[in-house]
Coordinates of all heavy atoms in Angstrom, one line a residue:
G21 N 0.8 -1.2 0.0 CA 0.0 0.0 0.0 C 0.8 1.3 0.0 O 0.3 2.4 0.0
F22 N 2.1 1.2 0.0 CA 3.0 2.4 0.0 C 2.6 3.3 -1.1 O 2.4 4.5 -0.9 CB 4.5 2.0 -0.1 CG 5.4 3.2 -0.4 CD1 5.6 4.1 0.6 CD2 6.0 3.4 -1.6 CE1 6.5 5.2 0.4 CE2 6.8 4.5 -1.9 CZ 7.0 5.4 -0.9
E23 N 2.5 2.8 -2.4 CA 2.2 3.7 -3.5 C 0.8 4.3 -3.3 O 0.7 5.5 -3.5 CB 2.2 2.9 -4.8 CG 3.6 2.6 -5.2 CD 3.7 2.2 -6.7 OE1 2.8 2.4 -7.5 OE2 4.7 1.6 -7.1
Y24 N -0.2 3.5 -2.9 CA -1.5 4.1 -2.7 C -1.5 5.1 -1.6 O -2.0 6.2 -1.7 CB -2.5 3.0 -2.5 CG -3.9 3.5 -2.1 CD1 -4.7 4.1 -3.1 CD2 -4.3 3.5 -0.8 CE1 -5.9 4.6 -2.7 CE2 -5.6 4.1 -0.4 CZ -6.4 4.6 -1.4 OH -7.6 5.2 -1.1
L25 N -1.0 4.8 -0.4 CA -1.1 5.6 0.8 C -0.2 6.9 0.7 O -0.6 7.9 1.1 CB -0.8 4.8 2.0 CG -1.8 3.7 2.4 CD1 -1.2 2.9 3.5 CD2 -3.1 4.3 2.8
I26 N 0.9 6.7 0.1 CA 1.9 7.9 0.1 C 1.9 8.6 -1.2 O 1.6 9.7 -1.4 CB 3.3 7.4 0.5 CG1 3.3 6.7 1.8 CG2 4.3 8.6 0.4 CD1 2.9 7.5 3.0
L27 N 2.2 7.8 -2.3 CA 2.4 8.4 -3.6 C 1.1 8.9 -4.2 O 1.0 10.0 -4.7 CB 3.1 7.5 -4.5 CG 4.5 7.0 -4.0 CD1 5.2 6.2 -5.0 CD2 5.4 8.2 -3.6
D28 N 0.1 8.0 -4.2 CA -1.2 8.4 -4.8 C -1.9 9.5 -4.0 O -2.7 10.3 -4.6 CB -2.1 7.2 -4.9 CG -1.6 6.2 -5.9 OD1 -0.7 6.5 -6.7 OD2 -2.1 5.0 -5.9
S29 N -1.6 9.6 -2.7 CA -2.3 10.7 -1.9 C -1.9 12.1 -2.4 O -2.6 13.0 -2.3 CB -2.0 10.5 -0.4 OG -0.6 10.7 -0.1
L30 N -0.7 12.2 -2.9 CA -0.2 13.4 -3.5 C -1.1 13.8 -4.7 O -1.5 15.0 -4.8 CB 1.3 13.4 -3.9 CG 2.2 13.2 -2.7 CD1 3.6 12.8 -3.2 CD2 2.3 14.5 -1.9
A31 N -1.3 12.9 -5.5 CA -2.2 13.1 -6.7 C -3.6 13.5 -6.3 O -4.2 14.4 -6.9 CB -2.2 11.9 -7.6
L32 N -4.1 12.8 -5.3 CA -5.5 13.1 -4.8 C -5.5 14.5 -4.2 O -6.6 15.1 -4.2 CB -5.9 12.1 -3.7 CG -6.1 10.6 -4.2 CD1 -6.3 9.7 -3.1 CD2 -7.3 10.6 -5.2
A33 N -4.4 15.0 -3.8 CA -4.4 16.4 -3.2 C -4.0 17.4 -4.3 O -3.6 18.5 -4.1 CB -3.4 16.5 -2.1
N34 N -4.0 16.9 -5.6 CA -3.6 17.8 -6.7 C -2.2 18.3 -6.6 O -1.9 19.5 -6.9 CB -4.6 18.9 -7.0 CG -5.9 18.4 -7.5 OD1 -5.9 17.5 -8.4 ND2 -7.0 18.8 -7.0
M35 N -1.3 17.5 -6.1 CA 0.1 17.9 -6.0 C 0.9 17.0 -7.0 O 1.1 15.8 -6.8 CB 0.6 17.6 -4.6 CG -0.1 18.5 -3.5 SD 0.4 20.2 -3.5 CE 1.4 20.2 -2.1
F36 N 1.4 17.6 -8.1 CA 2.1 16.9 -9.1 C 3.5 17.5 -9.4 O 4.4 16.7 -9.6 CB 1.3 16.9 -10.4 CG -0.1 16.3 -10.3 CD1 -1.2 17.1 -10.1 CD2 -0.2 14.9 -10.3 CE1 -2.5 16.5 -10.0 CE2 -1.5 14.3 -10.1 CZ -2.6 15.1 -10.0
F37 N 3.6 18.8 -9.4 CA 4.9 19.5 -9.7 C 5.6 18.7 -10.8 O 6.7 18.2 -10.6 CB 5.7 19.6 -8.4 CG 5.0 20.5 -7.4 CD1 4.4 19.9 -6.3 CD2 5.1 21.8 -7.5 CE1 3.8 20.7 -5.3 CE2 4.5 22.6 -6.6 CZ 3.8 22.1 -5.5
R38 N 5.1 18.8 -12.0 CA 5.6 18.0 -13.1 C 6.7 18.8 -13.9 O 6.5 19.2 -15.1 CB 4.4 17.7 -14.1 CG 3.4 16.7 -13.5 CD 2.4 16.4 -14.6 NE 1.4 15.4 -14.0 CZ 0.1 15.7 -13.9 NH1 -0.3 16.9 -14.2 NH2 -0.7 14.8 -13.4
S39 N 7.8 18.9 -13.3 CA 8.9 19.6 -14.0 C 9.3 18.8 -15.2 O 9.7 19.4 -16.2 CB 10.1 19.7 -13.0 OG 9.9 20.7 -12.0
D40 N 9.2 17.5 -15.2 CA 9.5 16.6 -16.3 C 8.7 17.0 -17.5 O 9.2 17.1 -18.7 CB 9.4 15.2 -16.0 CG 8.1 14.7 -15.4 OD1 7.2 15.6 -15.1 OD2 7.9 13.5 -15.1
E41 N 7.4 17.3 -17.3 CA 6.5 17.8 -18.4 C 6.8 19.2 -18.8 O 6.7 19.6 -19.9 CB 5.1 17.6 -18.1 CG 4.7 16.1 -17.9 CD 4.9 15.3 -19.2 OE1 4.6 15.8 -20.3 OE2 5.4 14.1 -19.1
N42 N 7.0 20.1 -17.8 CA 7.2 21.5 -18.0 C 8.4 21.8 -18.8 O 8.4 22.6 -19.7 CB 7.3 22.2 -16.7 CG 6.0 22.2 -15.9 OD1 4.9 22.0 -16.5 ND2 6.0 22.4 -14.6
V43 N 9.6 21.1 -18.5 CA 10.8 21.4 -19.3 C 10.7 21.0 -20.7 O 11.5 21.6 -21.5 CB 12.1 20.8 -18.6 CG1 12.3 21.4 -17.2 CG2 12.0 19.3 -18.6
K44 N 9.8 20.2 -21.1 CA 9.6 19.8 -22.5 C 9.1 20.9 -23.4 O 9.2 20.8 -24.6 CB 8.7 18.5 -22.6 CG 9.4 17.3 -22.0 CD 8.4 16.1 -22.1 CE 9.0 14.9 -21.4 NZ 8.0 13.8 -21.4
V45 N 8.5 21.9 -22.8 CA 7.9 23.0 -23.6 C 8.5 24.3 -23.4 O 8.2 25.3 -24.1 CB 6.3 23.1 -23.3 CG1 5.6 21.8 -23.7 CG2 6.0 23.4 -21.9
L46 N 9.4 24.4 -22.4 CA 10.1 25.7 -22.1 C 11.1 26.0 -23.2 O 11.6 25.1 -23.9 CB 10.8 25.7 -20.8 CG 9.8 25.5 -19.6 CD1 10.7 25.5 -18.3 CD2 8.8 26.7 -19.5
A47 N 11.5 27.2 -23.4 CA 12.4 27.6 -24.4 C 13.5 28.5 -23.8 O 14.5 28.8 -24.4 CB 11.8 28.4 -25.5
C48 N 13.3 29.0 -22.5 CA 14.3 29.9 -21.9 C 15.5 29.1 -21.5 O 15.5 27.9 -21.3 CB 13.7 30.7 -20.7 SG 13.2 29.6 -19.4
P49 N 16.7 29.8 -21.3 CA 17.8 29.1 -20.7 C 17.5 28.4 -19.4 O 16.8 29.0 -18.5 CB 18.8 30.3 -20.5 CG 18.4 31.3 -21.5 CD 16.9 31.2 -21.5
L50 N 18.0 27.2 -19.3 CA 17.8 26.4 -18.1 C 19.1 25.9 -17.6 O 19.9 25.2 -18.3 CB 16.9 25.2 -18.5 CG 16.6 24.1 -17.5 CD1 15.8 24.7 -16.3 CD2 15.8 23.0 -18.1
L51 N 19.4 26.1 -16.3 CA 20.6 25.6 -15.6 C 20.1 24.7 -14.5 O 19.4 25.2 -13.6 CB 21.4 26.8 -15.1 CG 22.6 26.4 -14.3 CD1 23.6 25.6 -15.1 CD2 23.3 27.7 -13.7
I52 N 20.6 23.5 -14.5 CA 20.3 22.6 -13.4 C 21.6 22.3 -12.6 O 22.6 22.0 -13.1 CB 19.8 21.2 -14.0 CG1 18.4 21.5 -14.7 CG2 19.6 20.2 -12.9 CD1 17.9 20.3 -15.4

């Protein structure tokens, strides 16, 4: 139940912070 109780609870709270998706559409200089 780790995934359901911990990881899925973030999604249920609308917490995604999808930098992986965001950086795919950005065009400005990016330094990591």
Side-chain angles (χ1 to χ4, degrees):
F22 168 73
E23 286 196 19
Y24 173 74
L25 293 171
I26 304 298
L27 303 182
D28 292 345
S29 66
L30 293 166
L32 292 172
N34 289 317
M35 299 286 255
F36 300 100
F37 296 103
R38 294 183 179 116
S39 290
D40 49 358
E41 295 300 320
N42 293 338
V43 299
K44 291 177 184 176
V45 298
L46 297 179
C48 63
L50 173 65
L51 174 61
I52 297 175

